[in-house]
Amino acid sequence: MLSRFELTPELLLRAYRAGIFPMAESADDPELFWVDPKRRGILPLDGFHLSRRLRRVVRQDRFEIRVDSDFRGTLAGCAEATEKRPNTWINTEIVRLYGALFERGAAHSVEAWQDEQLVGGLYGVSIGGAFFGESMFSRVADASKVALVHLVALLRMGGFLLLDIQFVTPHLATFGAVEVPRAQYHRLLALALGYRCVFPRGFGAGGAGAGAGALAALQSSKVTS
């Protein structure tokens, strides 16, 4: 286990570069532990699956997509307990550490807003050409899905090579997520860390036309019905 005084933002970034990441047993557990899965979940940026229905939702700009406008609010949303997700692994130490990474420009949020309310989004860590997705949440149907579509589009636009999702869930599998052995993951990570990428700020001004901009960045994406 790791105490608050042992784990710093700098050490956390070193851990990501080494292919490991921290988690808590629950939101109420004050301690963290390192995770290094034998099989790692990734979402191939050149094999992203976007359904026709979700493509229509994105094009309609039902949500205003913002980047880094309310990172802490997004983190809080991901930590919320819901009927479908009564327990989360985001404890106060996770909030402290990733808030510090955001202040250093190493963590980012992609947010879905509706009527000036944050209704969904995701956050993660950006190092070199790798983005490490941490968690996502949705208070309105399709909000987190649209945020994910924009994330993938932004990463493609920024020249990123790797989108690490840690574990494959049935939900993420519908977007093309796959598992790779640890050794293969480390090769992909080493390649991505050799690039210097800047996380883009978004598509369109004030959200107008953002959906069309995201879809344009995903022209080569696979579309399924």
Side-chain angles (χ1 to χ4, degrees), residues 7-187:
L7 188 52
T8 64
E10 292 75 19
L11 181 58
L12 183 54
L13 291 176
R14 287 174 56 189
Y16 274 105
R17 292 188 182 98
I20 60 178
F21 56 90
M23 292 187 72
E25 289 288 354
S26 70
D28 297 325
D29 190 336
E31 297 183 315
L32 302 177
F33 59 92
W34 292 122
V35 182
D36 182 17
K38 291 183 179 179
R39 297 188 65 81
R40 192 66 159 253
I42 65 170
L43 188 50
L45 295 172
D46 60 352
F48 185 65
H49 291 243
L50 180 58
S51 71
R52 291 187 175 89
R53 187 197 70 82
L54 187 55
R55 181 180 289 268
R56 288 195 298 270
V57 173
V58 172
R59 190 178 297 279
Q60 290 167 358
D61 285 328
R62 296 183 188 178
F63 306 100
E64 179 187 353
I65 301 299
R66 304 179 188 175
V67 175
D68 293 345
S69 74
D70 190 358
F71 180 86
R72 293 186 182 277
T74 303
L75 189 55
C78 291
E80 287 177 351
T82 65
E83 290 185 5
K84 293 183 178 180
R85 187 180 61 180
N87 299 305
T88 76
W89 54 271
I90 300 175
N91 63 5
T92 55
E93 183 69 346
I94 290 289
V95 172
R96 179 187 72 86
L97 285 165
Y98 288 83
L101 289 185
F102 174 71
E103 295 297 328
R104 287 162 170 76
H108 300 279
S109 57
V110 179
E111 310 147 11
W113 291 74
Q114 199 171 66
D115 299 324
E116 293 302 316
Q117 298 293 317
L118 178 62
V119 296
L122 55 87
Y123 78 96
V125 176
S126 174
I127 308 175
F131 188 86
F132 307 86
E134 287 296 314
S135 187
M136 61 197 325
F137 81 101
S138 185
R139 296 171 181 149
V140 173
D142 293 326
S144 62
K145 295 178 182 179
V146 173
L148 178 60
V149 172
H150 279 260
L151 171 66
V152 172
L154 290 169
L155 295 178
R156 288 172 62 96
M157 184 175 72
F160 283 74
L161 276 71
L162 176 65
L163 173 50
D164 174 3
I165 58 170
Q166 300 175 350
F167 304 104
V168 175
T169 65
H171 171 65
L172 291 173
T174 64
F175 291 96
V178 297
E179 285 186 339
V180 297
R182 182 186 292 157
Q184 181 180 351
Y185 170 77
H186 279 279
R187 289 193 294 269

